[in-house]
Amino acid sequence: MDTRVAGADYRTRSGGVREAVGSVIDLVGNTPLVNIRNVTRDIPPGVEIYAKLEGYNPGGSVKDRPALKMIEDAEKAGRLTKDKIILDSTSGNTGIAYAWIGAHKGYRVELVVPGNVSEERKKMLSAYGAKVIFSDPLEGSDGAIRLCWKLYVDNPEKYCKLDQYNNPSNPLAHYETTGPEIIAQTEGRITHFVASIGTGGTIMGTGRRLKEFRKDIKVIAVEPDSPLHGLEGLKHMASSIVPGIYHEEELDDKIPADTEESYEMTRRLAKEEGILAGQSSGAALLGALRLARTLKEGLIVVMFPDGGDKYLSTRVWED
Amino acid sequence: MAVKVRIPTPLRKLTEGKDEVTAEGTTVREVIDDLEKRYPGIKERICEEDGSIRKFVNLYVNDEDIRFKLNLDTELKEGDELSIIPAIAGGMC
Protein backbone atom coordinates (compact mmCIF):
# COMPACT_ATOMS: atom_id res chain seq x y z
CA MET A 1 0.00 0.00 0.00
CA ASP A 2 1.32 3.44 -0.90
CA THR A 3 1.05 5.47 2.26
CA ARG A 4 2.33 8.74 0.85
CA VAL A 5 0.04 11.68 1.49
CA ALA A 6 -0.51 14.02 -1.45
CA GLY A 7 0.57 17.55 -0.68
CA ALA A 8 2.11 16.64 2.67
CA ASP A 9 5.05 18.89 3.47
CA TYR A 10 6.72 16.43 5.79
CA ARG A 11 8.79 13.33 5.07
CA THR A 12 9.28 10.13 6.94
CA ARG A 13 11.96 7.49 6.75
CA SER A 14 10.29 5.52 4.01
CA GLY A 15 9.02 8.51 2.06
CA GLY A 16 5.53 7.69 3.32
CA VAL A 17 3.65 8.13 6.57
CA ARG A 18 5.04 5.90 9.25
CA GLU A 19 2.52 3.40 10.45
CA ALA A 20 1.59 3.12 14.14
CA VAL A 21 3.47 0.40 15.99
CA GLY A 22 2.50 -1.78 18.91
CA SER A 23 5.41 -0.95 21.17
CA VAL A 24 8.47 1.26 21.45
CA ILE A 25 10.51 -1.94 20.94
CA ASP A 26 9.25 -1.96 17.34
CA LEU A 27 11.05 1.33 16.75
CA VAL A 28 14.53 -0.17 17.18
CA GLY A 29 16.57 -0.17 13.97
CA ASN A 30 15.55 0.91 10.49
CA THR A 31 17.49 4.13 11.04
CA PRO A 32 17.95 6.80 8.37
CA LEU A 33 20.90 6.89 5.98
CA VAL A 34 21.83 10.40 4.91
CA ASN A 35 24.22 11.77 2.31
CA ILE A 36 26.89 13.96 3.91
CA ARG A 37 27.40 16.79 1.44
CA ASN A 38 29.01 19.79 3.12
CA VAL A 39 32.03 18.63 5.12
CA THR A 40 32.83 16.31 2.21
CA ARG A 41 33.40 19.10 -0.33
CA ASP A 42 37.07 18.29 -0.91
CA ILE A 43 36.75 14.54 -1.54
CA PRO A 44 37.06 13.15 -5.09
CA PRO A 45 33.85 13.68 -7.10
CA GLY A 46 33.34 9.95 -7.66
CA VAL A 47 33.16 9.23 -3.92
CA GLU A 48 29.99 9.55 -1.84
CA ILE A 49 29.71 9.38 1.95
CA TYR A 50 26.47 8.35 3.65
CA ALA A 51 25.97 8.35 7.42
CA LYS A 52 23.76 5.90 9.28
CA LEU A 53 22.11 7.96 12.01
CA GLU A 54 21.80 5.57 14.95
CA GLY A 55 20.72 8.37 17.24
CA TYR A 56 17.23 7.82 15.76
CA ASN A 57 16.81 4.63 17.79
CA PRO A 58 14.37 5.01 20.74
CA GLY A 59 17.20 4.95 23.31
CA GLY A 60 19.20 7.39 21.21
CA SER A 61 22.03 5.09 20.13
CA VAL A 62 23.17 2.13 18.09
CA LYS A 63 23.24 0.07 21.28
CA ASP A 64 19.47 -0.42 21.23
CA ARG A 65 20.05 -3.07 18.57
CA PRO A 66 22.45 -5.39 20.46
CA ALA A 67 20.81 -4.73 23.84
CA LEU A 68 17.41 -5.82 22.51
CA LYS A 69 18.90 -8.88 20.80
CA MET A 70 20.87 -9.91 23.90
CA ILE A 71 17.78 -9.53 26.10
CA GLU A 72 15.51 -11.42 23.70
CA ASP A 73 18.02 -14.23 23.14
CA ALA A 74 18.48 -14.59 26.92
CA GLU A 75 14.68 -14.77 27.29
CA LYS A 76 14.44 -17.47 24.60
CA ALA A 77 17.25 -19.48 26.22
CA GLY A 78 15.51 -19.24 29.62
CA ARG A 79 18.51 -17.40 31.13
CA LEU A 80 16.47 -14.25 31.69
CA THR A 81 13.32 -14.58 33.75
CA LYS A 82 11.39 -12.00 35.76
CA ASP A 83 13.08 -13.00 39.02
CA LYS A 84 16.52 -12.16 37.60
CA ILE A 85 18.14 -8.75 37.44
CA ILE A 86 19.76 -7.70 34.17
CA LEU A 87 23.40 -6.90 34.96
CA ASP A 88 26.23 -5.56 32.81
CA SER A 89 29.08 -3.09 32.70
CA THR A 90 28.75 -0.22 30.26
CA SER A 91 30.16 3.21 29.58
CA GLY A 92 26.69 4.51 28.94
CA ASN A 93 24.78 3.79 25.77
CA THR A 94 24.35 0.05 26.27
CA GLY A 95 23.24 0.85 29.80
CA ILE A 96 20.63 3.29 28.54
CA ALA A 97 19.39 0.63 26.11
CA TYR A 98 19.16 -2.05 28.83
CA ALA A 99 17.46 0.47 31.12
CA TRP A 100 14.64 1.49 28.76
CA ILE A 101 14.09 -2.02 27.36
CA GLY A 102 14.11 -3.41 30.92
CA ALA A 103 11.61 -0.72 31.98
CA HIS A 104 9.34 -1.58 29.06
CA LYS A 105 9.51 -5.33 29.59
CA GLY A 106 9.35 -5.20 33.39
CA TYR A 107 12.87 -6.29 34.35
CA ARG A 108 15.05 -4.79 37.04
CA VAL A 109 18.37 -3.51 35.69
CA GLU A 110 21.70 -2.95 37.49
CA LEU A 111 24.58 -1.34 35.68
CA VAL A 112 28.24 -0.87 36.54
CA VAL A 113 29.38 2.40 35.02
CA PRO A 114 32.70 4.27 35.35
CA GLY A 115 32.15 7.28 37.63
CA ASN A 116 33.32 9.64 34.87
CA VAL A 117 30.56 9.05 32.30
CA SER A 118 28.72 12.22 31.30
CA GLU A 119 26.11 13.64 33.67
CA GLU A 120 23.36 13.31 31.06
CA ARG A 121 23.92 9.55 30.91
CA LYS A 122 23.76 9.14 34.66
CA LYS A 123 20.49 11.07 34.72
CA MET A 124 18.99 9.08 31.85
CA LEU A 125 19.80 5.76 33.57
CA SER A 126 18.10 6.99 36.74
CA ALA A 127 15.12 8.27 34.75
CA TYR A 128 14.51 4.76 33.40
CA GLY A 129 14.69 3.38 36.93
CA ALA A 130 17.97 1.45 36.60
CA LYS A 131 20.22 0.98 39.61
CA VAL A 132 23.66 2.40 38.85
CA ILE A 133 26.87 1.23 40.54
CA PHE A 134 29.84 3.49 39.87
CA SER A 135 33.31 2.05 39.37
CA ASP A 136 36.57 3.94 39.92
CA PRO A 137 37.01 6.55 37.15
CA LEU A 138 40.78 5.93 37.23
CA GLU A 139 40.16 2.36 36.07
CA GLY A 140 38.02 3.31 33.03
CA SER A 141 35.65 0.86 31.36
CA ASP A 142 37.94 -2.07 32.19
CA GLY A 143 37.44 -1.23 35.87
CA ALA A 144 33.67 -1.42 35.31
CA ILE A 145 34.08 -4.80 33.58
CA ARG A 146 36.05 -6.20 36.53
CA LEU A 147 33.67 -4.84 39.19
CA CYS A 148 30.69 -6.22 37.27
CA TRP A 149 32.21 -9.70 37.15
CA LYS A 150 32.83 -9.54 40.88
CA LEU A 151 29.17 -8.66 41.54
CA TYR A 152 28.08 -11.51 39.33
CA VAL A 153 30.43 -14.13 40.79
CA ASP A 154 29.35 -13.16 44.33
CA ASN A 155 25.64 -13.64 43.44
CA PRO A 156 25.22 -15.62 40.19
CA GLU A 157 21.66 -16.74 40.94
CA LYS A 158 20.49 -13.14 41.38
CA TYR A 159 21.58 -11.86 37.98
CA CYS A 160 21.36 -12.41 34.25
CA LYS A 161 24.68 -11.01 33.10
CA LEU A 162 24.37 -10.07 29.45
CA ASP A 163 28.11 -9.45 28.95
CA GLN A 164 28.06 -7.25 25.83
CA TYR A 165 31.81 -7.74 25.31
CA ASN A 166 31.55 -11.51 24.85
CA ASN A 167 27.92 -12.12 23.89
CA PRO A 168 27.54 -13.38 20.26
CA SER A 169 24.05 -11.82 20.17
CA ASN A 170 25.76 -8.40 20.12
CA PRO A 171 27.35 -8.73 16.63
CA LEU A 172 24.43 -10.91 15.52
CA ALA A 173 22.05 -7.97 16.03
CA HIS A 174 24.03 -6.04 13.45
CA TYR A 175 24.34 -9.04 11.14
CA GLU A 176 20.55 -9.37 11.15
CA THR A 177 19.53 -5.69 11.03
CA THR A 178 22.22 -3.07 10.37
CA GLY A 179 23.84 -4.99 7.50
CA PRO A 180 20.64 -5.69 5.53
CA GLU A 181 19.40 -2.12 6.07
CA ILE A 182 22.60 -0.68 4.60
CA ILE A 183 22.46 -3.01 1.61
CA ALA A 184 18.84 -2.01 0.95
CA GLN A 185 19.34 1.71 1.59
CA THR A 186 22.34 1.91 -0.80
CA GLU A 187 20.65 -0.44 -3.28
CA GLY A 188 23.71 -2.64 -2.97
CA ARG A 189 26.12 0.09 -4.10
CA ILE A 190 28.12 0.26 -0.84
CA THR A 191 31.87 -0.26 -1.37
CA HIS A 192 33.29 0.66 2.08
CA PHE A 193 31.93 0.44 5.62
CA VAL A 194 33.50 2.59 8.35
CA ALA A 195 32.71 2.30 12.06
CA SER A 196 34.39 3.15 15.34
CA ILE A 197 35.08 0.37 17.84
CA GLY A 198 33.96 0.01 21.44
CA THR A 199 32.92 -3.60 21.96
CA GLY A 200 33.46 -4.22 18.24
CA GLY A 201 29.90 -5.55 17.88
CA THR A 202 28.85 -3.05 15.20
CA ILE A 203 31.80 -3.54 12.92
CA MET A 204 32.00 -7.31 13.33
CA GLY A 205 28.33 -8.10 12.72
CA THR A 206 27.67 -5.51 10.02
CA GLY A 207 30.98 -6.30 8.33
CA ARG A 208 30.23 -10.02 8.14
CA ARG A 209 26.84 -9.41 6.55
CA LEU A 210 28.24 -6.95 4.02
CA LYS A 211 31.09 -9.29 3.03
CA GLU A 212 28.60 -12.12 2.58
CA PHE A 213 26.61 -9.86 0.29
CA ARG A 214 29.68 -8.87 -1.72
CA LYS A 215 33.11 -9.98 -0.62
CA ASP A 216 34.98 -6.99 -2.04
CA ILE A 217 33.22 -4.55 0.34
CA LYS A 218 35.95 -3.16 2.60
CA VAL A 219 35.39 -2.98 6.34
CA ILE A 220 37.42 -0.31 8.13
CA ALA A 221 37.58 0.44 11.86
CA VAL A 222 38.34 3.78 13.45
CA GLU A 223 39.97 3.70 16.86
CA PRO A 224 41.44 6.28 19.25
CA ASP A 225 45.08 7.01 18.44
CA SER A 226 46.29 6.71 22.04
CA PRO A 227 45.38 4.98 25.32
CA LEU A 228 44.40 8.26 27.03
CA HIS A 229 41.83 9.81 24.71
CA GLY A 230 38.59 11.77 24.84
CA LEU A 231 36.36 9.70 22.57
CA GLU A 232 33.62 8.46 24.88
CA GLY A 233 32.54 4.91 24.16
CA LEU A 234 35.58 4.00 22.07
CA LYS A 235 38.34 1.61 23.00
CA HIS A 236 42.06 1.75 22.23
CA MET A 237 42.37 -1.99 21.77
CA ALA A 238 46.13 -2.35 22.33
CA SER A 239 45.78 -1.00 25.88
CA SER A 240 42.38 -2.50 26.81
CA ILE A 241 40.77 -5.81 27.71
CA VAL A 242 40.05 -7.05 24.16
CA PRO A 243 36.37 -8.09 23.85
CA GLY A 244 35.78 -11.74 22.99
CA ILE A 245 33.51 -10.76 20.09
CA TYR A 246 36.24 -8.61 18.48
CA HIS A 247 38.25 -10.31 15.73
CA GLU A 248 40.69 -7.85 14.26
CA GLU A 249 41.72 -10.23 11.48
CA GLU A 250 38.30 -9.70 9.86
CA LEU A 251 38.99 -5.99 9.31
CA ASP A 252 40.52 -4.67 6.10
CA ASP A 253 42.10 -1.67 7.79
CA LYS A 254 42.19 0.49 10.91
CA ILE A 255 42.37 4.28 10.97
CA PRO A 256 43.60 6.10 14.12
CA ALA A 257 41.57 9.11 15.28
CA ASP A 258 43.00 12.03 17.23
CA THR A 259 40.66 13.34 19.95
CA GLU A 260 40.93 17.06 19.13
CA GLU A 261 40.43 16.48 15.40
CA SER A 262 37.43 14.26 16.14
CA TYR A 263 35.94 16.97 18.37
CA GLU A 264 36.45 19.51 15.60
CA MET A 265 34.71 17.22 13.11
CA THR A 266 31.83 16.74 15.59
CA ARG A 267 31.44 20.53 15.81
CA ARG A 268 31.60 20.86 12.02
CA LEU A 269 28.87 18.22 11.70
CA ALA A 270 26.59 20.39 13.82
CA LYS A 271 27.53 23.71 12.21
CA GLU A 272 27.84 22.66 8.56
CA GLU A 273 25.50 19.67 8.23
CA GLY A 274 22.97 20.42 10.96
CA ILE A 275 23.65 17.03 12.56
CA LEU A 276 24.17 17.08 16.33
CA ALA A 277 26.12 13.85 16.83
CA GLY A 278 28.34 12.39 19.54
CA GLN A 279 32.13 12.59 19.33
CA SER A 280 32.47 8.99 18.16
CA SER A 281 30.56 10.07 15.02
CA GLY A 282 33.09 12.84 14.51
CA ALA A 283 35.90 10.28 14.84
CA ALA A 284 34.22 7.89 12.39
CA LEU A 285 33.63 10.67 9.85
CA LEU A 286 37.25 11.78 10.19
CA GLY A 287 38.23 8.22 9.24
CA ALA A 288 35.73 8.13 6.37
CA LEU A 289 37.09 11.40 4.95
CA ARG A 290 40.67 10.13 5.13
CA LEU A 291 39.61 6.97 3.34
CA ALA A 292 37.63 8.96 0.73
CA ARG A 293 40.71 10.96 -0.25
CA THR A 294 42.51 7.71 -1.19
CA LEU A 295 39.71 6.57 -3.54
CA LYS A 296 38.71 7.51 -7.08
CA GLU A 297 35.17 6.28 -6.71
CA GLY A 298 33.06 4.50 -4.15
CA LEU A 299 30.18 4.70 -1.71
CA ILE A 300 31.25 4.86 1.91
CA VAL A 301 28.75 4.18 4.68
CA VAL A 302 29.86 5.52 8.05
CA MET A 303 28.13 4.74 11.35
CA PHE A 304 27.13 7.64 13.59
CA PRO A 305 26.56 5.74 16.87
CA ASP A 306 24.55 8.38 18.72
CA GLY A 307 23.35 11.96 18.89
CA GLY A 308 25.17 14.83 20.57
CA ASP A 309 22.55 15.70 23.16
CA LYS A 310 24.07 13.38 25.79
CA TYR A 311 27.38 15.24 25.58
CA LEU A 312 26.24 18.83 25.93
CA SER A 313 27.84 19.08 29.39
CA THR A 314 31.22 17.89 28.04
CA ARG A 315 33.97 19.99 26.47
CA VAL A 316 33.46 18.66 22.93
CA TRP A 317 31.62 21.81 21.93
CA GLU A 318 34.26 24.27 23.12
CA ASP A 319 36.15 25.71 20.13
CA MET B 1 57.19 19.13 48.91
CA ALA B 2 55.87 15.68 48.09
CA VAL B 3 52.33 14.99 46.91
CA LYS B 4 50.63 11.76 45.98
CA VAL B 5 49.53 11.47 42.33
CA ARG B 6 46.86 8.96 41.27
CA ILE B 7 47.45 7.57 37.78
CA PRO B 8 44.63 6.29 35.48
CA THR B 9 45.06 2.93 33.74
CA PRO B 10 45.92 4.37 30.28
CA LEU B 11 49.01 6.09 31.71
CA ARG B 12 50.29 3.26 33.90
CA LYS B 13 52.56 1.96 31.16
CA LEU B 14 54.57 5.12 31.76
CA THR B 15 54.66 4.69 35.55
CA GLU B 16 55.93 1.10 35.62
CA GLY B 17 52.37 -0.08 36.24
CA LYS B 18 51.96 1.98 39.43
CA ASP B 19 48.51 3.43 40.16
CA GLU B 20 49.96 5.91 42.62
CA VAL B 21 53.26 7.77 42.50
CA THR B 22 54.93 10.59 44.40
CA ALA B 23 56.04 13.87 42.87
CA GLU B 24 57.46 17.16 44.12
CA GLY B 25 56.06 20.67 43.64
CA THR B 26 54.11 23.50 45.24
CA THR B 27 51.70 23.98 42.31
CA VAL B 28 50.00 21.58 39.90
CA ARG B 29 52.26 22.90 37.12
CA GLU B 30 55.41 22.07 39.12
CA VAL B 31 54.13 18.61 39.98
CA ILE B 32 53.43 17.85 36.30
CA ASP B 33 56.93 19.03 35.35
CA ASP B 34 58.40 16.82 38.09
CA LEU B 35 56.30 13.87 36.91
CA GLU B 36 57.73 14.35 33.42
CA LYS B 37 61.28 14.13 34.83
CA ARG B 38 60.44 10.91 36.65
CA TYR B 39 58.25 9.37 33.94
CA PRO B 40 59.21 10.84 30.56
CA GLY B 41 56.34 11.17 28.09
CA ILE B 42 53.59 11.63 30.69
CA LYS B 43 53.30 15.42 30.30
CA GLU B 44 52.40 15.31 26.60
CA ARG B 45 49.55 12.94 27.42
CA ILE B 46 48.14 15.38 29.97
CA CYS B 47 48.98 18.72 28.38
CA GLU B 48 48.71 20.36 24.97
CA GLU B 49 51.86 21.68 23.29
CA ASP B 50 51.19 25.11 24.78
CA GLY B 51 51.18 23.56 28.27
CA SER B 52 47.43 23.84 28.92
CA ILE B 53 45.57 20.76 30.12
CA ARG B 54 44.02 18.64 27.38
CA LYS B 55 40.23 18.93 27.11
CA PHE B 56 39.67 15.28 27.83
CA VAL B 57 41.78 15.18 30.99
CA ASN B 58 40.56 16.38 34.37
CA LEU B 59 42.89 17.06 37.27
CA TYR B 60 41.56 16.99 40.80
CA VAL B 61 43.32 18.21 43.93
CA ASN B 62 41.78 16.04 46.59
CA ASP B 63 38.15 16.20 45.38
CA GLU B 64 38.22 19.55 43.58
CA ASP B 65 38.58 20.06 39.84
CA ILE B 66 41.49 22.49 39.31
CA ARG B 67 39.53 24.24 36.53
CA PHE B 68 37.35 25.63 39.32
CA LYS B 69 40.42 26.68 41.30
CA LEU B 70 43.54 28.32 39.87
CA ASN B 71 44.05 25.71 37.16
CA LEU B 72 47.75 24.84 36.74
CA ASP B 73 48.64 27.47 39.34
CA THR B 74 46.54 25.74 41.99
CA GLU B 75 48.73 25.42 45.08
CA LEU B 76 49.40 22.13 46.80
CA LYS B 77 50.11 21.35 50.42
CA GLU B 78 52.05 18.47 51.91
CA GLY B 79 49.86 15.39 51.84
CA ASP B 80 47.53 16.65 49.07
CA GLU B 81 46.45 14.16 46.46
CA LEU B 82 46.43 14.98 42.73
CA SER B 83 44.23 12.69 40.59
CA ILE B 84 44.53 12.47 36.80
CA ILE B 85 41.09 11.42 35.57
CA PRO B 86 40.12 10.85 31.94
CA ALA B 87 37.12 13.05 31.15
CA ILE B 88 35.38 10.15 29.45
CA ALA B 89 34.82 6.44 29.81
CA GLY B 90 35.36 4.07 26.88
CA GLY B 91 33.80 0.99 25.32
CA MET B 92 30.49 1.40 23.55
CA CYS B 93 30.10 0.65 19.87
Side-chain angles (χ1 to χ4, degrees):
Chain A
M1 186 180 72
D2 185 353
T3 55
R4 278 172 292 191
V5 177
D9 60 355
Y10 54 87
R11 290 161 71 186
T12 65
R13 291 177 197 180
S14 60
V17 173
R18 226 175 152 182
E19 288 174 14
V21 295
S23 134
V24 68
I25 299 273
D26 300 327
L27 298 177
V28 175
N30 199 20
T31 52
L33 189 74
V34 62
N35 194 192
I36 303 295
R37 291 168 178 270
N38 296 334
V39 298
T40 53
R41 269 181 233 109
D42 65 338
I43 64 172
V47 183
E48 298 166 89
I49 297 181
Y50 282 82
K52 187 94 166 129
L53 303 186
E54 292 297 302
Y56 279 70
N57 281 297
S61 88
V62 65
K63 303 306 293 198
D64 283 0
R65 297 175 190 263
L68 180 61
K69 177 82 178 154
M70 288 189 283
I71 286 171
E72 289 186 342
D73 286 354
E75 285 175 327
K76 280 179 204 151
R79 281 203 305 129
L80 176 58
T81 45
K82 288 287 158 72
D83 57 321
K84 300 263 185 183
I85 299 171
I86 293 173
L87 174 73
D88 214 352
S89 53
T90 160
S91 58
N93 276 332
T94 307
I96 291 166
Y98 290 146
W100 79 256
I101 298 167
H104 183 81
K105 284 177 169 274
Y107 292 110
R108 288 171 293 164
V109 176
E110 288 187 20
L111 303 163
V112 185
V113 174
N116 52 342
V117 296
S118 65
E119 282 303 314
E120 293 92 330
R121 289 187 178 195
K122 292 176 189 171
K123 287 180 180 169
M124 286 179 82
L125 295 171
S126 299
Y128 287 122
K131 179 179 170 188
V132 183
I133 299 141
F134 292 113
S135 58
D136 186 346
L138 286 159
E139 305 292 331
S141 60
D142 288 352
I145 291 172
R146 285 189 286 265
L147 178 58
C148 185
W149 273 112
K150 185 179 180 310
L151 287 172
Y152 179 68
V153 169
D154 287 349
N155 254 316
E157 68 293 335
K158 183 175 162 190
Y159 295 114
C160 172
K161 188 178 186 314
L162 291 173
D163 194 10
Q164 60 165 334
Y165 295 98
N166 298 294
N167 190 327
S169 301
N170 174 353
L172 201 55
H174 294 287
Y175 178 87
E176 291 176 353
T177 66
T178 318
E181 286 172 31
I182 290 171
I183 293 165
Q185 287 170 312
T186 61
E187 295 170 330
R189 293 194 303 124
I190 177 174
T191 58
H192 296 77
F193 177 67
V194 176
S196 48
I197 37 177
T199 66
T202 303
I203 199 150
M204 289 295 127
T206 312
R208 277 174 205 146
R209 186 57 173 252
L210 293 174
K211 280 183 180 289
E212 261 179 35
F213 170 70
R214 219 179 53 242
K215 65 174 187 282
D216 63 348
I217 293 174
K218 303 286 185 221
V219 175
I220 296 124
V222 175
E223 78 168 338
D225 65 351
S226 76
L228 183 63
H229 63 86
L231 299 169
E232 182 142 347
L234 302 193
K235 255 184 191 289
H236 179 259
M237 284 298 174
S239 60
S240 306
I241 297 174
V242 178
I245 58 169
Y246 179 70
H247 301 283
E248 195 160 296
E249 68 281 5
E250 293 180 33
L251 303 175
D252 291 294
D253 203 0
K254 282 207 298 182
I255 300 175
D258 170 81
T259 296
E260 287 295 337
E261 288 178 56
S262 301
Y263 284 4
E264 193 195 341
M265 188 54 68
T266 309
R267 293 193 293 272
R268 286 187 64 194
L269 262 177
K271 290 191 171 131
E272 295 177 38
E273 299 285 344
I275 297 174
L276 190 73
Q279 58 265 51
S280 60
S281 304
L285 183 58
L286 198 66
L289 285 169
R290 268 188 210 144
L291 168 68
R293 290 186 194 111
T294 68
L295 304 174
K296 280 192 181 142
E297 55 186 26
L299 192 159
I300 301 169
V301 171
V302 54
M303 291 294 276
F304 283 3
D306 63 1
D309 46 350
K310 283 187 288 260
Y311 306 98
L312 291 173
S313 72
T314 71
R315 307 188 76 213
V316 177
W317 311 100
E318 293 173 17
D319 283 316
Chain B
M1 190 181 56
V3 296
K4 196 162 79 175
V5 185
R6 297 180 72 207
I7 307 292
T9 37
L11 294 183
R12 287 180 197 161
K13 273 197 180 152
L14 297 170
T15 58
E16 298 144 5
K18 290 181 201 150
D19 58 1
E20 228 175 69
V21 301
T22 304
E24 297 277 336
T26 56
T27 63
V28 172
R29 189 188 310 277
E30 286 177 14
V31 167
I32 291 174
D33 287 339
D34 188 51
L35 272 179
E36 174 65 20
K37 282 185 204 141
R38 294 167 192 243
Y39 306 104
I42 200 163
K43 186 177 176 180
E44 64 169 349
R45 299 290 183 83
I46 304 168
C47 300
E48 299 289 347
E49 277 172 27
D50 66 5
S52 62
I53 303 161
R54 288 185 184 271
K55 272 186 187 166
F56 51 91
V57 176
N58 292 329
L59 297 180
Y60 287 78
V61 172
N62 303 324
D63 288 328
E64 283 189 87
D65 188 334
I66 65 161
R67 285 195 182 93
F68 301 112
K69 300 184 73 158
L70 294 173
N71 228 319
L72 287 165
D73 296 320
T74 303
E75 290 184 2
L76 297 160
K77 304 185 301 293
E78 186 82 33
D80 274 349
E81 190 176 84
L82 179 70
S83 299
I84 304 166
I85 304 207
I88 60 97
M92 150 188 118
C93 297

